[in-house]
Amino acid sequence: MEVILVPDPAAAGAVAADAICALLDRKPDAVLGLATGGSPLAIYDELARRHRAGRVSFAAARGFTLDEYVGLPADHPESYRNVIDRDFVSRVDFPPGAVQGPDGLAVDVEAECAEYEAAIGRAGGVDLQILGIGTDGHIAFNEPGSSLASRTRIKSLTRQTRMDNARFFGGDVAAVPVHCLTQGLATILEARHVVLVATGAHKAEAVGQLIEGPISARWPATVLQLHPRATVLVDDDAATRLELGDYYRQTYRAKPDWQGI
Ligand code: F6R
């Protein structure tokens, strides 16, 4: 796991955007795994800026989102299909239909989840997966207790996650759906490169567990310790529980420029 400590979310966004632009340079039809929520916004802002400046194109790329609430109407502004469209897809040049997400209104949920896994497989798998982390240690919506071998399926959100996400629903916890469809931890581990962004003091405990804690379903993000190419971008506020912060800083400073992340 490569740990990069950055001063603030914008710096994390720039490092991740560099990696995505480098990937698209060498593989214009790359498959991106797209997270929603607050964490990736600085990445999407930076990519939209670079796109406007003519520095990157998504015209041949494809994307898969991580998860979706169950039961939100298709036109609900907080359905993750609409969120990813607003936050990222509509700001760059993906062709229509190039970004998919699981259908939270599917009648046959198991068939939908199996089909989503198959669609990722048909696309050749995810080249670079952007991730955030929940305050309870979830990645995608794999809440504590999730099987480390899980695939796309329906899950129940914890009370903590619903409280954390109430800010997107006018502060009303009751308006946050209870169920979601989410890629599993094993699905995420198959991405060729995962880039997780964690910013803010409220993420410090989860970040400490993710990077330096034991691998455990109690903190699902810890499964990334098994990934051969995981990059974790952590801002100063989220890094306060790390025991080896000086080592991570020193290692990144000494990294050769050509290497990228
Ligand atoms: C969203 C997702 C979640 C979020 C996590 C952190 O697609 O998969 O795991 O990344 O809940 O959310 P923010 O970034 O809003 O703090």
Side-chain angles (χ1 to χ4, degrees), residues 35-40 66-67 80 132-134 138-141 167-168 203:
T36 46
S39 305
L66 284 168
D67 40 21
Y80 278 168
I133 185 170
H138 68 238
I139 50 172
F141 275 145
R167 70 191 194 280
F168 298 117
K203 300 290 175 74

Side-chain angles (χ1 to χ4, degrees), residues 101-115:
D103 179 3
L105 292 171
V107 177
D108 186 340
V109 166
E110 289 188 2
E112 171 61 18
C113 293
E115 171 50 29

Side-chain angles (χ1 to χ4, degrees), residues 19-224:
I20 292 166
C21 291
L23 169 66
L24 288 167
D25 266 354
R26 65 176 184 274
K27 186 177 180 185
D29 60 349
V31 178
L32 301 176
L34 303 173
T36 46
S39 305
L41 288 180
I43 305 175
Y44 298 150
D45 287 348
E46 181 60 24
L47 288 172
R49 240 189 319 272
R50 294 186 192 191
H51 171 67
R52 277 197 307 276
R55 291 169 59 193
V56 63
S57 170
F58 299 83
R62 273 167 300 168
F64 289 91
T65 57
L66 284 168
D67 40 21
E68 180 58 281
Y69 293 115
V70 166
L72 287 186
D75 61 354
H76 194 290
E78 292 309 322
S79 95
Y80 278 168
R81 270 179 199 225
N82 294 327
V83 170
I84 199 64
D85 195 48
R86 190 168 64 235
D87 288 349
F88 183 43
V89 176
S90 64
R91 302 167 70 195
V92 295
D93 60 343
F94 280 108
V99 175
Q100 289 178 240
D103 179 3
L105 292 171
V107 177
D108 186 340
V109 166
E110 289 188 2
E112 171 61 18
C113 293
E115 171 50 29
Y116 197 59
E117 291 269 341
I120 295 171
R122 283 194 300 273
V126 170
D127 290 296
L128 187 151
Q129 175 66 58
I130 300 168
L131 293 174
I133 185 170
T135 57
D136 65 2
H138 68 238
I139 50 172
F141 275 145
N142 294 282
E143 296 284 29
S146 290
S147 162
L148 303 185
S150 51
R151 313 293 316 190
T152 302
R153 69 216 183 288
I154 189 166
K155 286 290 288 180
S156 298
L157 296 172
T158 61
R159 175 87 185 155
Q160 181 63 55
T161 296
R162 294 179 67 231
M163 288 191 310
D164 289 346
N165 286 7
R167 70 191 194 280
F168 298 117
F169 291 81
D172 180 7
V173 181
V176 183
V178 172
H179 293 111
C180 60
L181 303 186
T182 180
Q183 287 189 30
L185 293 171
T187 318
I188 293 168
L189 284 184
E190 283 172 5
R192 287 181 270 281
H193 185 190
V194 299
V195 178
L196 184 146
V197 181
T199 59
H202 59 308
K203 300 290 175 74
E205 184 180 13
V207 165
Q209 294 288 343
L210 157 66
I211 297 170
E212 295 176 350
I215 297 173
S216 161
R218 173 65 186 85
W219 294 93
T222 58
V223 77
L224 295 178

